[in-house]
């Protein structure tokens, strides 16, 4: 397993991150085996959220990771609060809520500290200064080591880059979603912040799922991109997901690609050796998919 720094934070994380959201789908014994195998394979970055399964996901991850807590970088998220009747959730980035929510996450995760506490969204209408105050207070109290945000909105990312001490941004990025390449990736790299990528397989479209329109790309473009990835995978004896992931990892701003894992098969594919293509291959891929830009939240 290869490891990368998270910006200038001092944290080092596995290139393959473990996205925990769907792990509850696995039976208990299988979930235990999956997590232990992941740790043995060198995965040290595990990402969950208090929103997932109404907190039960944090409880599961906390139980499974407790024996190896000192070996891993544990990340969770805050900002979405379930309604009392369980019918949905509201957005709450206030200081009071964050300071209360962290204690519940710590309890569920069975830990004294969270390595990376992330705001689970964010808009320019939020009380951003207040939100930052909450995270800074938690750092001072030792309840969290670092904080970041999970957002695709350039204006929100820019605001936190300028006003806070975030160490990372989780965002969607893939060959079929090259919007972060316009300004966001360079902005974060320049400011010493890491990128945690989600959606590197574009809902599975780059890993064998039937093509469909995606983020404004017509079916023909999706087919072309998936075809390029599959061609290289077939020639090298690897998998399309490995090549799609390698495209994302080629950007120096990226710290980890967080892959949703709920089966042993998915884990083994995620930790399989990845190809090391030359620059010409990346150029060829980029010609197959036009670069796009964020149209909103600029």
């Amino acid at each position: 397993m290869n490891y990368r720094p998270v910006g200038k934070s001092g944290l080092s994380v596995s290139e393959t991150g473990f996205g925990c959201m769907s792990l509850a789908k696995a039976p208990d014994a299988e979930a235990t085996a999956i997590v232990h195998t992941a740790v043995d394979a060198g995965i040290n970055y595990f990402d969950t959220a208090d929103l997932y399964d109404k907190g039960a996901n944090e409880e599961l991850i906390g139980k499974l990771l407790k024996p190896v807590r000192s070996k891993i970088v544990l990340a969770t998220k805050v900002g979405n609060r379930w309604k009392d009747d369980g019918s949905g959730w509201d957005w709450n980035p206030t200081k009071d809520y964050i300071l209360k929510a962290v204690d519940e996450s710590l309890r569920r995760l069975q830990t004294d500290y969270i390595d990376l506490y992330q705001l689970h969204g964010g808009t320019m209408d939020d009380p951003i200064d207040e939100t930052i105050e909450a995270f800074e207070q938690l750092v001072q109290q030792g309840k969290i080591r670092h904080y970041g945000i999970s957002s695709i909105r350039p204006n929100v990312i820019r605001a936190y880059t300028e006003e806070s001490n975030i160490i990372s941004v989780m965002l969607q990025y893939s060959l079929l979603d090259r919007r972060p390449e316009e300004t966001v990736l360079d902005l974060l790299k320049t400011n010493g912040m890491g990128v945690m990528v989600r959606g590197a397989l574009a809902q599975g479209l780059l890993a064998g799922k039937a093509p469909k329109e995606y983020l404004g790309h017509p079916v023909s473009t999706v087919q072309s991109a998936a075809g390029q990835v599959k061609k290289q995978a077939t020639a090298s004896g690897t998998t399309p997901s490995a090549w799609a992931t390698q495209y994302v990892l080629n950007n120096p701003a990226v710290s980890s690609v967080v892959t949703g894992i709920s089966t042993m098969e998915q884990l083994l594919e995620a930790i399989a050796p990845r190809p090391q293509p030359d620059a010409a291959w990346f150029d060829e891929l980029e010609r197959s998919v036009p670069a796009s830009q964020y149209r909103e939240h600029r």
Side-chain angles (χ1 to χ4, degrees), residues 69-237:
R69 177 66 183 91
S70 62
K71 298 180 181 180
I72 57 100
V73 176
L74 182 57
T76 191
K77 308 181 193 76
V78 66
N80 294 297
R81 180 174 60 184
W82 280 99
K83 296 179 181 178
D84 292 339
D85 62 5
S87 63
W89 59 85
D90 295 317
W91 176 241
N92 192 339
T94 63
K95 181 177 181 178
D96 285 347
Y97 176 69
I98 292 171
L99 296 181
K100 293 175 183 176
V102 72
D103 288 331
E104 289 301 303
S105 285
L106 288 168
R107 177 185 60 81
R108 289 189 290 261
L109 291 167
Q110 300 186 48
T111 185
D112 295 328
Y113 65 96
I114 294 164
D115 294 290
L116 178 58
Y117 203 34
Q118 301 160 101
L119 185 68
H120 203 172
T123 74
M124 293 303 295
D125 295 327
D126 293 344
I128 293 177
D129 290 344
E130 181 181 326
T131 302
I132 294 170
E133 285 179 9
F135 284 122
E136 289 290 342
Q137 181 173 324
L138 293 177
V139 171
Q140 292 172 4
Q141 292 174 342
K143 293 182 178 181
I144 67 175
R145 294 179 64 192
H146 305 280
Y147 64 97
I149 63 172
S150 176
S151 178
I152 63 170
R153 298 179 172 184
N155 55 2
V156 173
I157 293 171
R158 189 163 51 249
Y160 276 89
T161 300
E162 295 171 354
E163 301 173 25
S164 76
N165 294 309
I166 61 168
I167 68 162
S168 65
V169 174
M170 172 172 275
L171 51 75
Q172 180 172 294
Y173 177 39
S174 72
L175 175 62
L176 286 170
D177 186 1
R178 296 176 56 198
R179 294 175 297 176
E181 294 177 359
E182 182 193 2
T183 60
V184 171
L185 295 178
D186 285 345
L187 172 69
L188 295 173
K189 179 66 175 176
T190 299
N191 284 277
M193 300 165 184
V195 174
M196 307 303 192
V197 171
R198 61 177 178 83
L201 303 183
Q203 298 180 356
L205 295 173
L206 295 172
K209 283 193 175 180
K212 64 177 183 178
E213 292 185 3
Y214 184 75
L215 294 178
H217 293 304
V219 173
S220 59
T221 298
V222 174
Q223 287 177 318
S224 175
Q228 290 282 357
V229 170
K230 183 177 180 180
K231 179 179 72 174
Q232 295 296 334
T234 300
S236 63

Side-chain angles (χ1 to χ4, degrees), residues 1 16 37-38 41 43 266-274:
M1 181 65 63
T16 298
T37 302
I43 292 180
Q266 290 172 339
L267 171 63
L268 295 177
E269 184 168 350
I271 62 178
R274 280 188 290 271

